[in-house]
Amino acid sequence: MGKTGIVTAKDLSGKLAILADAAKYDASCASSGSRRESRGGLGSTEGMGICHSYTPDGRCVSLLKILLTNYCVFDCQYCVNRISSDTPRARFSVNEVVRLTMDFYRRNYIEGLFLSSGIIQSSDYTMEQMLDVARTLRERESFRGYIHLKTIPGASDDLIQQAGTYADRLSVNIELPTEADLKRLAPEKKRPELEQSMNRIKVKRDEHVRDQKAGFKHAGKFVPAGQSTQMIVGATDTSDRQILDTSSHLYQTHAMRRVYYSAFSPIPHADSRLPGKSPPLVREHRLYQADWLIRFYGFDAAELTTAESANLDLQMDPKLAWALRHRDRFPVDVNLAEREMLLRVPGIGSRGVKRILQTRRHHNIRDEDLAAMGIVYKKARPFLITADRNAGPLSLDSPSLQRQFRPPQRQLHLFDDAPSADDGTSSRLEVLP
């Protein structure tokens, strides 16, 4: 490495160290949802398992997660790779990325590639370089594994069209939750331009799906795993309510497959407008739980917070917090309630609701049946009526009910929980249902 911090072209391992480390801030690299034919080539998007991602059915897959380069013409204040940063720089050639991907795949280290990049020269130039990687892997190497490309905002329609035929997933980072946040910390990036790129992907994908359903022979696959995006949480004082409003808008407007939340991480020589420490990691976790409720449980973004409390409760999962704010809607009769209401009962997940609906066709559900259905009995019990038990209206009205679900206080020792004391995280995070 020279005095300028630039890794020489011969030092491939040095480049990998820099550009793999630079890619760690990008959270949106799950490889779920793709179905690519693997006959006649190398790799598969469906095999069992560097970056580990998990599919909705629980499979763990490994991806080579790197940047094409961490040079960037933009000066986003929250980004370690901004043009004004003194971080060491490196840049892969197209053939180097192809070689690394194939070498790692042949060693059974990975099942796919997640490729992002800083912006060099122009959006089109950078996008064309990334496109060349995907094209070479597919056509020259016959690689049939998973490929996720980060789309460069402002890239031409033609480049996006080509990228979508080679990649399983495309994504455009929304960066920050609101347009005001962008103006403050990344004025070179414009919210309308970012959403325009997202809309281009949606429109082209809709066209391909429509042509496939119509049976047109020319209709090929276009980003079969859909598109995703990522926003940074905690770099500004934007509330969870605003964050969830933005996410809901992206799902509805651009048919987003996933919105990823990335807790802000302090960077060296940061701008004074940035916070000096990361937000509690549990906040990111609560946002993912709320996001799940919006996508799969029928909740509206505005329901999960209130005007008085615009941030999610860090001590309680958002579904339980909602139920405690709406005790007038409970208890519900497990043998009579509609599916939509059962999904709102704390402790009951979507699989649990499905089992309830199937079971009650044959007999009334009793209290003892709940645990066998995979329901979190202790959490669900106060909110349910079964064939042999009434929940007891007094328990729902009791002020102690909320305290019952909060994590117990415990005496901390001087050193064993130092990391949690620093950033507010917990080693055991609650999960839904």
Side-chain angles (χ1 to χ4, degrees), residues 30-36 45-46 54-57 59 61 146 168-169 205 221-226 257-258:
S31 63
S32 58
S34 178
R35 295 291 184 271
R36 184 175 290 274
T45 61
E46 301 180 77
Y54 292 88
T55 62
D57 60 3
R59 292 182 298 111
V61 295
Y146 179 83
D168 297 280
R169 174 168 289 184
R205 188 165 189 266
K221 291 184 178 180
F222 185 86
V223 286
R257 182 67 63 89
R258 283 291 303 274

Side-chain angles (χ1 to χ4, degrees), residues 251-424:
Y251 284 126
Q252 294 172 11
T253 306
H254 304 297
M256 203 63 57
R257 182 67 63 89
R258 283 291 303 274
V259 175
Y260 290 86
Y261 307 94
S262 178
F264 169 72
S265 179
I267 56 178
H269 314 298
D271 187 277
S272 60
R273 291 169 292 181
L274 292 169
K277 62 179 182 178
S278 299
L281 189 58
V282 69
R283 183 186 181 194
E284 180 184 298
H285 182 66
R286 293 288 179 242
L287 284 167
Y288 275 115
Q289 290 180 316
D291 184 279
W292 195 264
L293 293 177
I294 293 169
R295 290 194 293 146
F296 300 114
Y297 283 69
F299 281 80
D300 186 83
E303 294 183 273
L304 299 173
T305 56
T306 65
E308 298 75 24
S309 181
N311 289 318
L312 298 168
D313 191 332
L314 299 184
Q315 300 296 317
M316 187 179 300
D317 77 67
K319 186 178 181 185
L320 176 58
W322 178 87
L324 290 172
R325 289 197 304 270
H326 296 84
R327 300 187 200 195
D328 58 305
R329 301 183 65 169
F330 298 98
V332 299
D333 192 325
V334 73
N335 290 297
L336 299 175
E338 298 289 333
R339 177 181 181 275
E340 290 73 21
M341 193 60 205
L342 288 172
L343 283 170
R344 290 175 175 251
V345 177
I348 303 181
S350 56
R351 291 182 182 178
V353 170
K354 184 177 181 180
R355 289 171 184 146
I356 287 172
L357 296 176
Q358 290 174 338
T359 302
R360 73 186 193 183
R361 293 173 187 167
H362 307 288
H363 63 82
N364 284 337
I365 296 172
R366 302 171 63 85
D367 212 41
E368 63 185 13
D369 298 324
L370 295 177
M373 295 178 182
I375 290 168
V376 183
Y377 179 77
K378 182 179 179 181
K379 189 182 285 189
R381 187 180 190 277
F383 301 94
L384 287 178
I385 295 172
T386 59
D388 60 341
R389 180 183 58 80
N390 191 304
L394 292 180
S395 65
L396 281 173
D397 295 333
S398 172
S400 65
L401 182 62
Q402 185 163 334
R403 293 196 299 270
Q404 172 185 329
F405 292 112
R406 291 194 178 276
Q409 300 291 326
R410 70 181 183 88
Q411 180 65 45
L412 294 177
H413 296 289
L414 185 57
F415 299 111
D416 63 342
D417 278 338
S420 295
D422 287 340
D423 61 13

Side-chain angles (χ1 to χ4, degrees), residues 141-156:
E141 304 294 337
S142 298
F143 183 71
R144 299 294 181 265
Y146 179 83
I147 296 179
H148 180 162
L149 296 181
K150 264 296 167 64
T151 306
I152 305 301
S156 70

